[in-house]
Structures are given as structure tokens and as C-alpha cells.
Amino acid sequence: AQTVTQSQPEMSVQEAETVTLSCTYDTSESDYYLFWYKQPPSRQMILVIRQEAYKQQNATENRFSVNFQKAAKSFSLKISDSQLGDAAMYFCAYLERNYGGSQGNLIFGKGTKLSVKP
Amino acid sequence: GAGVSQSPRYKVAKRGQDVALRCDPISGHVSLFWYQQALGQGPEFLTYFQNEAQLDKSGLPSDRFFAERPEGSVSTLKIQRTQQEDSAVYLCASSPEKPGHNTEAFFGQGTRLTVV
């Protein structure tokens, strides 16, 4: 079974600086998606960035970028120029790429709580 | 509506009481998922619908949990004879396509269920 591990329960960063959140996963599949979701106190999960496993190029979305190491099964999130609004829980998630089957549920890590200091 | 809507946002139930949680997905979305998020944990999959068909219910923790989506739009998650371990946030997500088709799942704000 696939698993997702986030080894940092809490992280802290100074406003305007850069922080990296770690994520590792375990799968025997070769084709899948990886995601980072942000969950503010409102509880709504918001997609931050997505990576397709067959793409070697790391995904980038404005101040957010990933370091995807497929062989190492590592998928870290880098947040540049951190802002106060970035403070939230961040979840790494895995999705098996499945054609026509019923399995399509996201598998989440336990999350990392990010604090941003002014 | 513009997003996934869940109601109620908060529910307090006495142990043994039945509860029903509602999810209004984004109009036209094919896929609908329910997740359970215990305090301090990541969401865990409960069940999946493709239109009105419940294609996967492998995550439902017991036969006290039941979900339906009779017309392929609104979904209800029902928990019978609630227990304290059922206390959690229940998240609903919808997606315009089938799983694995490179689409984003849009989440609601969840229902926080507290069983006392």
C-alpha cells in the first residue's frame, strides 16, 4: 500500500525568507501524481502545487516550487519570500494514476504546521 | 454554487445518536469523495462516487457509516449510533473528471463532528 510521510510536525520561518517542507512516499507504481495542499484554520484544503510523476521538470507556481526526486521518492516544497498568509498546515498527498478504475483517492501525510514570524 | 458546500459546519452529537452530513459539490462534477480527518492527522479516504454510483467504500470504518448520492449531485454521509471515536472533521471533495485524469479535487470546509 502507498504511504506518505511528513517528518516535520512543525516548521517556522521568518517573513520574506525561504522554507522547505519535506515529504517522502512509498509506492510500487511508476505513474502517479503528487500534491501539496494548504489547510488554513478555515479547514478548507487548497491545492498549492501538483507534480506528475512522468514529468522530470519540477513544478513551480509563483513563490512555490517542488524538488521531485523520483528515485528517492522524495517530494519537498519550497516556499520563497514567505508571507504571513502562508501560515497553515501543509499536507503532502499522493494519487495513483488510474485509468477507468475506482481507485482515485488521495493519500495524505500527517501534515506540517508552518508558522511565519513577522 | 461557486465551491463545494458542506453543512452543518459544526455538529455535536450525543453518543448513540444518528447524524447526517451533507455535501453540495460543484455543479457538474463527476467525482465526489468523503474523507475523515482526525485531530492532528491528515485526511483519510472514506468513500468515492462517480456520479450516482458508489465505486469505492473501502475506507468506511464500520457498517455504522453509510453514504449516498442518489441523483449524482448532493451527497449525504450518515453515521448511525455515533461513538466518541467518530469525532473528527469530515471533508467532502469533488472533481470534474474521473480519478487519475489530471484534474484537481476541490474541497469543502468540512463538518466538525464532536460526539459527547
Side-chain angles (χ1 to χ4, degrees):
Chain A
Q2 294 87 357
T3 58
V4 176
T5 301
Q6 293 179 250
S7 59
Q8 305 155 315
E10 296 188 24
M11 290 285 284
S12 181
V13 63
Q14 204 72 33
E15 193 176 9
E17 295 190 346
T18 296
V19 64
T20 298
L21 308 184
S22 302
C23 173
T24 58
Y25 59 95
D26 189 23
T27 183
S28 58
E29 301 294 327
S30 60
D31 199 8
Y32 48 85
Y33 301 99
L34 294 165
F35 304 83
W36 279 98
Y37 279 89
K38 171 184 178 181
Q39 187 179 43
S42 68
R43 301 198 302 257
Q44 187 170 19
M45 300 286 265
I46 301 165
L47 179 64
V48 174
I49 199 164
R50 170 175 54 203
Q51 176 79 41
E52 297 177 49
Y54 68 88
K55 290 186 177 179
Q56 292 187 343
Q57 186 173 7
N58 288 325
T60 299
E61 195 72 40
N62 299 317
R63 297 183 296 107
F64 300 87
S65 61
V66 298
N67 183 4
F68 173 48
Q69 301 290 328
K70 192 172 183 179
K73 296 180 182 174
S74 171
F75 182 61
S76 61
L77 174 70
K78 185 171 83 171
I79 306 174
S80 304
D81 186 25
S82 298
Q83 300 176 359
L84 295 177
D86 294 334
M89 286 292 293
Y90 285 82
F91 291 94
C92 179
Y94 167 98
L95 176 67
E96 180 180 320
R97 190 184 185 110
N98 184 284
Y99 298 94
S102 63
Q103 292 297 319
N105 47 295
L106 290 160
I107 299 170
F108 289 88
K110 291 189 175 183
T112 296
K113 183 178 182 180
L114 177 67
S115 302
V116 181
K117 297 178 180 178
Chain B
V4 178
S5 177
Q6 292 188 246
S7 60
R9 286 217 61 200
Y10 300 90
K11 176 68 180 178
V12 178
K14 291 184 178 179
R15 192 170 56 181
Q17 187 179 353
D18 296 350
V19 298
L21 312 180
R22 178 186 170 103
C23 173
D24 276 274
I26 294 172
S27 179
H29 276 198
V30 168
S31 294
L32 186 145
F33 301 84
W34 283 98
Y35 291 84
Q36 180 190 57
Q37 185 176 17
L39 187 64
Q41 302 293 316
E44 292 190 354
F45 169 79
L46 292 176
T47 187
Y48 160 63
F49 289 87
Q50 189 178 110
N51 296 308
E52 70 278 3
Q54 188 175 21
L55 298 188
D56 188 351
K57 52 183 180 180
S58 61
L60 296 176
S62 77
D63 59 7
R64 297 186 295 103
F65 286 71
F66 171 77
E68 59 183 6
R69 193 186 185 198
E71 297 179 358
S73 55
V74 172
S75 178
T76 304
L77 176 67
K78 297 179 180 178
I79 309 173
Q80 297 177 324
R81 304 182 302 283
T82 52
Q83 303 295 314
Q84 282 193 319
E85 61 263 29
D86 300 335
S87 296
V89 173
Y90 290 85
L91 294 168
C92 176
S94 72
S95 175
E97 300 289 345
K98 298 176 184 178
H101 284 240
N102 193 24
T103 57
E104 178 180 347
F106 296 84
F107 283 81
Q109 291 185 302
T111 295
R112 181 182 295 280
L113 172 66
T114 303
V115 181
V116 297

